[in-house]
Amino acid sequence: MRVWKWIGLAGILAGVATGAAVARDERVRRHYEPAEVRERLHARHDEAVAREAAEMTRAPQDS
């Protein structure tokens, strides 16, 4: 019976720690200005398009 109490306590602490991490990430995310978010998204998109274009132009390796 005592083991189950410790397992329950560990579960509660894990939930609290997860909630704290989510709250911290949310606070950090909310500090971005809309223009900054838009700029970062465009940069990520441009990187993804460039990476895909590089993969498409790479010559296939025939051995």
Side-chain angles (χ1 to χ4, degrees):
M1 185 68 161
R2 188 175 203 160
V3 173
W4 291 110
K5 288 181 183 179
W6 284 109
I7 291 173
L9 180 61
I12 290 170
L13 291 175
V16 169
T18 301
V22 169
R24 184 193 66 219
D25 289 343
E26 183 69 17
R27 282 195 309 271
V28 170
R29 185 186 65 81
R30 288 182 185 255
H31 284 350
Y32 292 131
E33 295 293 325
E36 186 179 359
V37 171
R38 191 176 308 110
E39 181 180 309
R40 291 173 62 138
L41 286 173
H42 283 292
R44 287 175 57 189
H45 177 264
D46 293 342
E47 289 173 7
V49 169
R51 191 174 5 193
E52 186 175 319
E55 289 176 2
M56 297 296 279
T57 59
R58 190 179 310 155
Q61 300 292 328
D62 292 335
S63 296

